[in-house]
Amino acid sequence: MYLPISVILTGGTICCQTKENGTRYSNAEKTGFLLLEQYKKEKGDAQGFLTQMPMNTLSEDLQPAHWDLLLDALRQVNTTASSGVIIAHGTDSLAETAAMLACALAGYPLPVVLVSAHTPPEHPKTNAHRNFAAAVELLQKGLPAGVWVVYENLDGVVYLHHGAKLRLCANESDEFFSRDMRPYESVHVEQLQPAPWQKPIPLMQMASMADAPPVLQLRPYIGLRYDRISMEDAAAVVHGTYHSETANSCGDSPYSLRYLLRRTKAAGIPCFLAPCAKYTQQYASAEALVAEGITPLPDASLQLAYGAAMVAGAMGCSGEALCAMVQTFCQRFER
């Protein structure tokens, strides 16, 4: 017998049913428990489960208040009487939630595994049950503390991802990728020990994300006007880059990120560029932005930078303290 696994059902395709017209809707109260029933049918009753259902929401509909509910559910887990946590989550915002949790759960004593599916559990070709079973197996093997994602791609291989490194799923795709992804069956759990965390667990310091000052997330595109962006009450700005780790830096133009940087400086609002390596820039545009005072976050995806800023804000950080906390989170997950 193993220690029970805490299962948190949140909704999404892995908890969906399908109407007669083909429309999928989240029904975690019924469909989510199919995961447990199917697992027990195939593997037996040796593994116990303790379930919570803090929400029943498609992941594209998630808001900061839903993240608050998820974090509250994690606070309720008895960490001394559980071998780990499995979170059933939708695919659309899976990478965002995984990145946020990687920061919020720094120092958390249990492994937390997010599982999703490309089709509902009742579908004959679903990967829901294989993903769930792989997560259970990894926890039984002693997967170390940290935030992980388990997902089967179309090649039939179930991969293990670090939550902080998971990429957003591409449009019209049913596959997930990340740096250092590996087939879960080849994983040696003893080689996955996390970096030590010397600070108090962020989860226990956080107030409501819904009530914290907002974090603005921006992505570069031709025509983005920085003079039209409101930063009222913002705690931070997190700005993405093109594939070359660049963004518009064309002088004083309102189309230039340097224009926004001057506004954030005047307001005392941290502004991050992710991913962006400070000392290995190949283009003058990124060099100009770093020289202007933007905070580069090397090896951090945009969703990791955003999740880190959201967690830091919910911890009550602002200004320089928020900037330092975001850098601490992101450095933790560098190569």
Side-chain angles (χ1 to χ4, degrees):
M1 291 290 290
Y2 302 95
L3 280 176
I5 293 173
S6 295
V7 178
I8 299 177
L9 305 172
T10 70
T13 301
I14 197 167
C15 295
C16 267
Q17 285 190 292
T18 306
K19 297 180 180 179
E20 291 184 2
N21 64 1
T23 301
R24 298 171 183 172
Y25 66 99
S26 188
N27 188 3
E29 186 172 6
K30 179 180 179 180
T31 311
F33 288 95
L34 289 178
L35 294 170
L36 309 183
E37 294 171 5
Q38 184 68 21
Y39 179 85
K40 291 178 180 179
K41 180 179 178 181
E42 293 182 359
K43 306 293 185 178
D45 293 328
Q47 179 62 63
F49 299 103
L50 302 171
T51 59
Q52 297 184 62
M53 192 183 71
M55 67 190 85
N56 181 23
T57 309
L58 294 171
S59 71
E60 60 267 33
D61 290 338
L62 294 182
Q63 302 171 31
H66 293 106
W67 274 356
D68 287 336
L69 293 173
L70 176 57
L71 294 171
D72 283 342
L74 286 161
R75 292 186 183 99
Q76 294 173 32
V77 172
N78 185 342
T79 58
T80 62
S82 178
S83 59
V85 180
I86 295 177
I87 300 174
H89 193 286
T91 55
D92 278 357
S93 60
L94 176 65
E96 293 183 331
T97 295
M100 181 277 292
L101 289 176
C103 300
L105 300 182
Y108 191 70
L110 293 179
V112 176
V113 186
L114 289 91
V115 294
S116 294
H118 53 51
T119 47
E122 62 190 6
H123 193 282
K125 295 184 178 181
T126 186
N127 59 3
H129 303 293
R130 290 187 290 277
N131 292 337
F132 185 84
V136 173
E137 182 179 336
L138 285 166
L139 292 177
Q140 291 174 342
K141 288 181 176 179
L143 187 70
V147 175
W148 309 93
V149 177
V150 169
Y151 193 86
E152 182 190 56
N153 278 352
L154 298 181
D155 59 4
V157 178
V158 180
Y159 292 95
L160 176 68
H161 307 265
H162 195 291
K165 301 177 182 180
L166 189 69
R167 301 177 195 166
L168 294 170
C169 186
N171 286 352
E172 305 300 327
S173 171
D174 286 323
E175 299 188 296
F176 280 93
F177 299 92
S178 69
R179 189 173 73 232
D180 304 331
M181 62 189 281
R182 65 200 77 183
Y184 94 97
E185 292 179 322
S186 68
V187 168
H188 298 284
V189 295
E190 65 276 4
Q191 298 176 0
L192 299 176
Q193 292 301 322
W197 179 259
Q198 306 298 337
K199 302 176 183 292
I201 300 174
L203 176 67
M204 303 308 176
Q205 305 173 70
M206 295 169 61
S208 168
M209 284 191 168
D211 295 337
V215 175
L216 302 183
Q217 182 182 144
L218 301 174
R219 300 168 188 263
Y221 61 87
I222 297 172
L224 173 57
R225 289 195 57 149
Y226 294 100
D227 58 338
R228 303 292 178 87
I229 295 172
S230 172
M231 297 187 299
E232 184 178 0
D233 299 325
V237 175
V238 178
H239 200 292
T241 57
Y242 291 115
H243 78 97
S244 300
E245 298 191 355
T246 59
N248 193 314
S249 65
C250 55
D252 295 325
S253 164
Y255 297 102
S256 171
L257 178 50
R258 296 166 74 180
Y259 184 99
L260 182 71
L261 265 173
R262 289 162 193 167
R263 293 178 59 200
T264 58
K265 277 186 183 179
I269 299 172
C271 188
F272 303 97
L273 191 63
C276 179
K278 184 174 183 179
Y279 299 110
T280 58
Q281 285 304 318
Q282 296 179 314
Y283 294 93
S285 52
E287 282 188 345
L289 293 171
V290 172
E292 191 75 39
I294 204 165
T295 300
L297 298 174
D299 292 325
S301 65
L302 181 58
Q303 62 264 18
L304 175 58
Y306 177 74
M310 288 288 287
V311 170
M315 292 170 63
C317 299
S318 62
E320 293 182 2
L322 185 147
C323 187
M325 183 56 68
V326 169
Q327 290 176 304
T328 297
F329 284 137
C330 292
Q331 288 167 4
R332 177 173 174 79
F333 304 115
E334 288 181 3
R335 290 189 179 92

